[in-house]
């Protein structure tokens, strides 16, 4: 996978906001510093204070992770444009994390907004989506014909566990077992995803990219085509 990336961003809560920078390894690690406190997690909704750093009362936590706040960040994202080759677009992301005490004693809201900016146009996912899989599928559907996302979420060798996935970074890469992955056609059985799961190369973030990328097509793997047919 590619090396670490630095994403400019912003943190906002009821006490105010500040410009911050997120550091991502493209796999399962995100770091940032907010009001002098270092945070780390494997997803934007799982950022906890590092040992030795004592957050002040201005922060709100749920199960050790930041909440009651708005996280915003900007990610460079490659797109393939028919007749023009590979271009670099910008994906603006905003994650609103509500307060503790919602349904099931979880957060009252967790809403993800993604906006792809390309050639002066904006392509935004619809409201109410809570993780990167449906959000980026929606963005892809809104792009003009001949424009395709070029990232792990759209790669021929990536898949999610049938047991479910979180906001981000739960996407399994099978690039080291391509021939076996090509035969996956469901969940169980001799060619089901579970028979191959332990052979995954690594987990990756949906917006990452490596040199072995190939566009996903047809009803591939367990999760099928990208984007999936709309409901």
């Amino acid at each position: 996978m590619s090396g670490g990336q630095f994403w400019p961003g912003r943190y906002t809560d009821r006490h105010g906001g500040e410009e911050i920078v997120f550091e991502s390894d493209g796999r399962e690690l995100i770091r940032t510093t907010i009001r002098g406190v270092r945070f780390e997690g494997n997803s934007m909704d799982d950022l906890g204070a590092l040992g030795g750093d004592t957050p002040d009362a201005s922060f709100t936590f749920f199960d050790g992770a930041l909440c009651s706040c708005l996280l915003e960040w900007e990610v460079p994202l490659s797109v393939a444009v028919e007749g023009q080759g590979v271009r670099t677009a910008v994906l603006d992301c905003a994650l609103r994390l509500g307060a503790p005490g919602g349904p099931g004693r979880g957060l009252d809201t967790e809403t993800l907004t993604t906006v792809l900016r390309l050639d002066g146009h904006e392509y935004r996912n619809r409201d109410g989506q809570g993780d990167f899989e449906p959000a980026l599928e929606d963005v892809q559907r809104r792009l003009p014909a001949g424009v395709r996302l070029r990232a792990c979420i759209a790669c021929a060798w990536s898949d999610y566990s049938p047991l479910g996935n979180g906001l981000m970074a739960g996407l399994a890469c099978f690039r080291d077992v391509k021939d076996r992955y090509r035969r996956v056609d469901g969940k169980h059985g001799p060619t089901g995803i579970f028979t191959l799961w332990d052979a995954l190369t690594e987990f990756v973030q949906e917006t990452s990219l490596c040199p072995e990328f190939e566009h996903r097509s047809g009803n591939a793997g367990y999760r099928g085509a990208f984007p999936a047919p709309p409901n």
Side-chain angles (χ1 to χ4, degrees), residues 4-24:
Q5 291 187 349
F6 295 89
W7 302 335
R10 184 171 179 80
Y11 172 85
T12 307
D13 63 16
R14 68 185 185 280
H15 299 286
E18 68 174 81
E19 304 299 314
I20 59 176
V21 176
F22 293 99
E23 180 182 359
S24 167

Side-chain angles (χ1 to χ4, degrees), residues 100-192:
R105 297 186 179 179
L107 300 183
D108 57 7
T109 59
E110 179 173 317
T111 303
L112 175 69
T113 302
T114 58
V115 180
L116 187 77
R117 304 185 190 278
L118 178 66
D119 293 336
H121 299 281
E122 298 182 356
Y123 306 94
R124 180 185 186 279
N125 71 288
R126 66 182 185 274
D127 293 337
Q129 294 172 328
D131 63 72
F132 270 91
E133 181 183 18
L136 292 179
E137 285 185 328
D138 205 34
V139 168
Q140 177 63 73
R141 294 186 193 104
R142 296 169 189 269
L143 290 173
V147 180
R148 304 175 70 183
L149 298 183
R150 188 176 172 85
C152 288
I153 185 66
C155 182
W157 316 121
S158 64
D159 219 325
Y160 287 106
S161 168
L163 301 178
N165 56 281
L167 172 75
M168 61 187 295
L171 187 61
C173 172
F174 293 95
R175 67 179 182 271
D176 290 338
V177 286
K178 293 175 183 175
D179 289 340
R180 293 176 61 191
Y181 182 71
R182 286 189 183 98
R183 297 193 291 272
V184 171
D185 59 3
K187 184 186 301 187
H188 298 290
T191 54

